[in-house]
């Protein structure tokens, strides 16, 4: 324990490491969290409406206004709720009417209309307008039946395209049958931003800083010519390697807690706990997971946490196998950047497989109906996304220890 404490303190005292942590915190929590909520996402529009950075610095009060405005429609989602939201949108003057990309739930209602009620679209109109502008609200009935029809349609298209089997569809429909109706309803756009942008982006933001901090944990000893000296100490090369790996994992966990904890703290300050029990189907109507917003958030945090562990394991393995700091860093960064850069040029199976590398895939798969097949058995993709990267990282750890010790003997 004493050796671990000394090694961990030595890691944190490195200028490179604490600078990475500071920059990652500023980028992820201050810019991606506080400034995002207070300014360029939820701030009211400024004089220049073409740039979000011209928004006013008043996101906190604007969020409270949105929450209050949409609380008037009741706390459950019914046909009447849907009709009232669309009717209110249509009551605004066309010049003052909020755009469909605003933070109001009109954007969600417009999506529901386009997907669930295509038969109401006026195809004879010479001037294109979104359906929400002119639809007869009295015809907006049987919402849950329409939503089931749309899900069935999408699953059948996926089956015909060879993406799903009959067994896959049965599994997904069974999950869908557990969704309780009517849905709990409150203002949703805050959760939409949190679960589709803010939390998923933590992975991409933390990866390069983690690579810089841990990429030199073994190769740095060779670079500084301290490896031979360390291996002659009373603790022995293998024990030192174990301590370095544990120190690296502890640092990865601490960095995750700092970044994820800061983002969640900002969420609680700006959004509170309002709407945690709404179903995730408000974000994607064909989502089949019977989860509320809180469960989705916990999944996304778990996804990032296990991905960080997996990424740390792979980074330390690369560091133990090479003696060059730059090469160790390049190899670590290639884990996350190469699959995205070459994605569209790879065969479909390679694109799908790359999503299971640590911090490469996206936790937003919980809103989709993707199924991964293992030995002929279908597994809902999000379950694979949280387990495979972690397993990869854990498998890398003993090889990292062995790789560093072997190089010293050589």
């Amino acid at each position: 324990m004493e050796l671990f404490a000394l090694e961990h303190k030595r890691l944190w005292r490195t200028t490179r490491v604490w600078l990475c942590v500071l920059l990652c915190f500023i980028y992820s929590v201050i810019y991606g969290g506080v400034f995002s909520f207070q300014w360029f996402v939820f701030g009211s529009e400024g004089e220049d409406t073409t740039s979000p950075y011209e928004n006013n610095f008043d996101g906190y009060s604007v969020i409270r206004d949105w929450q209050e405005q949409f609380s008037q429609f009741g706390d459950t989602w019914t046909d009447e709720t849907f009709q009232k939201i669309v009717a209110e949108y249509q009551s605004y003057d066309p010049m003052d009417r909020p755009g469909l990309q605003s933070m109001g739930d009109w954007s969600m209602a417009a999506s529901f209309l386009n997907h669930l009620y295509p038969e109401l679209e006026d195809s004879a109109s010479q001037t294109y307008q979104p359906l929400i502008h002119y639809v007869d609200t009295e015809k907006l009935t049987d919402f849950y039946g329409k939503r089931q029809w749309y899900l069935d349609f999408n699953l059948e298209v996926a089956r015909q395209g060879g993406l799903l089997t009959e067994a896959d569809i049965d599994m997904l429909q069974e999950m869908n049958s557990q969704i309780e109706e009517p849905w709990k309803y409150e203002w949703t756009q805050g959760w939409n931003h949190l679960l589709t942008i803010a939390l998923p982006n933590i992975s991409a933001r933390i990866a390069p800083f983690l690579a810089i901090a841990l990429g030199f944990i073994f190769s740095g000893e060779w670079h500084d010519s301290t490896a031979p000296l360390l291996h002659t100490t009373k603790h022995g090369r293998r024990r030192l390697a174990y301590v370095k790996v544990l120190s690296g994992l502890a640092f990865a966990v601490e960095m995750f807690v700092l970044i994820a904890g800061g983002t969640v703290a900002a969420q609680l300050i700006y959004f509170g706990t309002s709407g945690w029990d709404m179903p995730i189907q408000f974000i994607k109507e064909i989502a089949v997971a019977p989860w509320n917003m809180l469960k989705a958030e916990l999944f996304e945090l778990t996804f990032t946490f296990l991905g960080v562990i997996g990424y740390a394991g792979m980074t330390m393995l690369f560091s133990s196998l090479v003696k060059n700091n730059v090469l160790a860093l390049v190899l670590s960064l290639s884990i996350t950047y190469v699959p995205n850069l070459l994605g569209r040029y790879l065969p479909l199976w390679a694109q799908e497989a790359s999503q299971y590398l640590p911090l490469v895939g996206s936790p937003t798969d919980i809103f989709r109906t993707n199924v991964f097949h293992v030995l002929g058995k279908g597994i809902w993709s999000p379950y694979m996304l949280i387990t495979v990267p972690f397993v990869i990282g854990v498998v890398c750890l003993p090889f990292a220890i062995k790789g560093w010790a072997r190089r010293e003997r050589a």
Side-chain angles (χ1 to χ4, degrees):
M1 182 59 69
E2 181 181 359
L3 184 60
F4 168 80
L6 290 172
E7 177 63 29
H8 198 54
K9 185 182 295 185
R10 176 172 174 261
L11 177 64
W12 269 101
R13 284 181 174 177
T14 305
T15 302
R16 179 190 70 255
V17 170
W18 66 258
L19 189 58
C20 279
V21 173
L22 177 61
L23 291 175
C24 188
F25 183 83
I26 293 173
Y27 181 42
S28 301
V29 179
I30 304 301
Y31 175 79
V34 176
F35 281 9
S36 172
F37 299 152
Q38 181 68 18
W39 178 24
F40 54 83
V41 173
F42 292 99
S44 58
E45 290 184 348
E47 294 183 2
D48 182 2
T49 59
T50 63
S51 173
Y53 295 103
E54 293 297 325
N55 286 358
N56 298 311
F57 203 74
D58 57 356
Y60 184 87
S61 59
V62 170
I63 289 171
R64 293 295 177 274
D65 290 342
W66 284 122
Q67 290 175 333
E68 181 179 357
Q69 179 171 353
F70 283 89
S71 65
Q72 65 176 304
F73 298 110
D75 59 359
T76 56
W77 187 263
T78 63
D79 290 346
E80 290 73 21
T81 305
F82 193 18
Q83 293 168 3
K84 288 178 182 178
I85 289 178
V86 175
E88 172 156 317
Y89 180 86
Q90 294 177 349
S91 70
Y92 288 101
D93 184 274
M95 298 302 296
D96 298 329
R97 183 179 289 161
L100 295 182
Q101 300 304 317
S102 72
M103 283 295 115
D105 281 353
W106 293 296
S107 56
M108 176 192 70
S111 176
F112 285 165
L113 283 171
N114 294 335
H115 294 154
L116 310 187
Y117 298 86
E119 72 279 2
L120 300 182
E121 184 175 349
D122 184 7
S123 57
S125 175
Q126 298 298 315
T127 304
Y128 173 77
Q129 282 187 319
L131 189 55
I132 193 173
H133 284 246
Y134 60 84
V135 69
D136 182 356
T137 58
E138 295 296 324
K139 296 181 179 180
L140 301 181
T141 58
D142 191 26
F143 173 84
Y144 294 105
K146 292 283 188 177
R147 184 254 168 190
Q148 183 62 52
W149 163 82
Y150 187 57
L151 173 62
D152 294 342
F153 172 78
N154 279 270
L155 294 179
E156 179 60 23
V157 169
R159 186 193 67 79
Q160 294 180 4
L163 300 177
L164 296 175
T165 66
E166 290 289 352
D168 296 337
I169 293 178
D170 291 341
M171 175 188 67
L172 296 173
Q173 290 283 19
E174 172 60 27
M175 294 174 61
N176 179 69
S177 67
Q178 299 175 37
I179 300 173
E180 296 183 0
E181 299 176 1
W183 299 345
K184 174 74 175 179
Y185 173 68
E186 293 182 49
W187 178 65
T188 67
Q189 292 305 310
W191 283 100
N192 190 325
H193 176 79
L194 185 75
L195 295 178
T196 62
I197 298 177
L199 292 180
N201 280 349
I202 291 179
S203 299
R205 288 169 176 162
I206 202 173
F209 296 103
L210 198 60
I212 296 172
L214 297 182
F216 304 157
I217 198 166
F218 288 116
S219 64
E221 304 294 358
W222 296 105
H223 182 270
D224 299 335
S225 300
T226 58
L229 178 61
L230 290 175
H231 284 267
T232 61
T233 62
K234 63 179 181 179
H235 301 292
R237 58 180 176 266
R238 187 166 293 275
R239 186 178 178 188
L240 283 171
Y242 273 114
V243 169
K244 282 182 171 294
V245 165
L246 291 176
S247 176
L249 289 177
F251 171 80
V253 171
E254 290 160 355
M255 192 168 183
F256 165 80
V257 171
L258 179 66
I259 303 305
T263 303
V264 171
Q267 168 206 346
L268 292 175
I269 292 172
Y270 281 91
F271 301 125
T273 58
S274 175
W276 68 269
D277 53 350
M278 293 187 299
I280 63 172
Q281 283 68 33
F282 279 121
I283 296 177
K284 186 75 170 180
E285 60 266 31
I286 62 170
V288 296
W291 293 356
N292 58 33
M293 301 294 186
L294 178 59
K295 289 181 179 179
E297 179 174 9
L298 293 175
F299 173 88
E300 294 194 357
L301 291 172
T302 301
F303 165 87
T304 305
F305 173 74
L306 296 179
V308 163
I309 297 298
Y311 189 76
M314 292 191 71
T315 298
M316 288 188 285
L317 173 61
F318 292 144
S319 182
S320 71
L321 295 179
V322 298
K323 295 184 179 181
N324 186 290
N325 282 343
V326 174
L327 181 57
L329 179 60
V330 169
L331 290 173
S332 300
L333 292 175
S334 68
I335 300 172
T336 55
Y337 289 104
V338 170
N340 291 328
L341 290 174
L342 301 180
R344 62 177 181 172
Y345 303 108
L346 299 174
L348 182 58
W349 65 267
Q351 294 180 36
E352 294 178 350
S354 68
Q355 298 304 301
Y356 298 98
L357 290 172
L359 300 185
V360 173
S362 172
T364 56
D365 247 33
I366 59 176
F367 303 113
R368 305 186 182 100
T369 54
N370 296 333
V371 176
F372 192 86
H373 295 93
V374 179
L375 300 176
K377 180 176 178 58
I379 302 175
W380 189 43
S381 180
Y383 294 147
M384 298 285 291
L385 285 171
I386 63 170
T387 55
V388 175
F390 175 75
V391 171
I392 290 175
V394 170
V395 169
C396 287
L397 296 179
F399 291 99
I401 295 170
K402 188 175 181 180
W404 194 55
R406 178 185 297 162
R407 278 193 170 272
E408 175 58 21
R409 288 199 298 271

